[in-house]
Structure formats: C-alpha cells, structure tokens
Amino acid sequence: MLLATGLGSGLAPYAPGTVGSLLALPIWWFLLADLTLVQQLAFVVVATAISVWVVDRACRAAGVGDASAFVLDEFIGQWIALVAAPKSLLWVAVGFVLFRAFDIAKPWPVSWADRRLSGGLGVVLDDVFAGVLAAVVLHISVVALAT
C-alpha cells in the first residue's frame, strides 16, 4: 500500500493525484534526468510493469477498481512526460502542467484506457497515455523554442 499510495502522497486530503505528480518530480530530477534516453526508457518500462502489479494488488486488497489514494500511476505518467526532457526548472514545470492537463482532461486514448481497462493495467495505462501525450507536446515545444 505504501508504494501504491506514492509513499503516502496519495493520502493528501486534496488533489492526491497532483500531490503524487509533484512528489515524482524530485525523483525524476535526482534519479532519472541525468540518465541516457535508453536508460530512462528502460527504467520507465520496468517501473510501469511493477506499478501495474503493485496497483492491481492494492486495488484487490482494498476491494476497489481504482482509488484516488493510489497515485503510483501518476509517478509513472509524470516520469514518461519528462523522458529526455531538458533538466531545467522551466521544462520540468511545463512537463508537470502538461501531464496533469492530459490526465485530468482525459483526451483519447487516455479516456479509452480509463473506461475500458480495469485492475492495475487500467489504472496505470491511462496515465501512461497521458504521459506520452505530454512528452510529445513537451518535446515539440523544446524543439520549437530552440529554432
């Protein structure tokens, strides 16, 4: 349960998903940002697989399909949004806002995963999609501003 709740960040009384995403940022900054693209992707793939398992077990133990307290999926989505992002406060902030916007608005395919999949896979996969959408927009922005 400690992992599923994002080290307890999901127990925040207001906006637990946002709090979980915020806690994911320093982890990315200190553990992932200086890794190569391949290392970051490998980490995210392994972390995603572990998260599906952890969240699935937590959902079963709690007897719920998804609980707002389970925010490990926000960590995964936030890290995906920042894969290969420049290590700067500006781009981390942009990645955070983009991920939260896609996670909350749930455009397709985020909404599809949220509605159609269940268990740990469903809980995590919608955040994976939100993270991928955020990463695409973030990298387009980085390239556009660099030219």
Side-chain angles (χ1 to χ4, degrees), residues 1-2 10 17 23-24 26 33 35 37 56 61 70 72 76 86 88 97 101-102 112 119 123-124 129 137 144:
M1 287 295 184
L2 183 63
L23 184 57
L35 299 178
L37 172 60
D56 191 64
F70 299 154
L72 186 56
I76 299 300
S88 79
V97 169
F102 284 119
W112 174 84
V123 172
V124 174
F129 287 147
V137 173

Side-chain angles (χ1 to χ4, degrees), residues 51-61 64 118-121 123-124:
S51 296
V52 168
W53 181 77
V54 166
V55 171
D56 191 64
R57 299 232 15 211
C59 288
R60 288 176 196 223
V64 298
S118 60
L121 182 63
V123 172
V124 174

Side-chain angles (χ1 to χ4, degrees), residues 126-142:
D126 74 313
D127 289 275
V128 166
F129 287 147
V132 169
L133 292 173
V136 168
V137 173
L138 177 69
H139 287 283
I140 289 170
S141 302
V142 169

Side-chain angles (χ1 to χ4, degrees), residues 16 21 43 50 53 66 82 86 91 95-96 102 105 108 125 129 131 142:
S21 294
F43 178 88
I50 292 169
W53 181 77
D66 190 4
L82 295 172
W91 291 117
F96 171 78
F102 284 119
W108 188 91
L125 197 57
F129 287 147
V142 169

Side-chain angles (χ1 to χ4, degrees), residues 1-146:
M1 287 295 184
L2 183 63
L3 286 176
T5 61
L7 305 175
S9 61
L11 302 174
Y14 301 104
T18 300
V19 174
S21 294
L22 282 170
L23 184 57
L25 298 177
I27 295 170
W28 177 84
W29 186 276
F30 292 110
L31 296 180
L32 302 174
D34 295 323
L35 299 178
T36 67
L37 172 60
V38 171
Q39 291 170 324
Q40 285 186 41
L41 290 172
F43 178 88
V44 166
V45 166
V46 171
T48 300
I50 292 169
S51 296
V52 168
W53 181 77
V54 166
V55 171
D56 191 64
R57 299 232 15 211
C59 288
R60 288 176 196 223
V64 298
D66 190 4
S68 61
F70 299 154
V71 297
L72 186 56
D73 52 322
E74 264 74 28
F75 282 57
I76 299 300
Q78 189 64 72
W79 293 337
I80 291 170
L82 295 172
V83 163
K87 188 178 181 181
S88 79
L89 292 178
L90 171 65
W91 291 117
V92 169
V94 170
F96 171 78
V97 169
L98 286 169
F99 170 67
R100 292 307 301 146
F102 284 119
D103 189 33
I104 292 166
K106 297 198 182 315
W108 188 91
V110 181
S111 59
W112 174 84
D114 188 54
R115 287 191 322 266
R116 301 286 175 120
L117 302 174
S118 60
L121 182 63
V123 172
V124 174
L125 197 57
D126 74 313
D127 289 275
V128 166
F129 287 147
V132 169
L133 292 173
V136 168
V137 173
L138 177 69
H139 287 283
I140 289 170
S141 302
V142 169
V143 170
L145 288 175

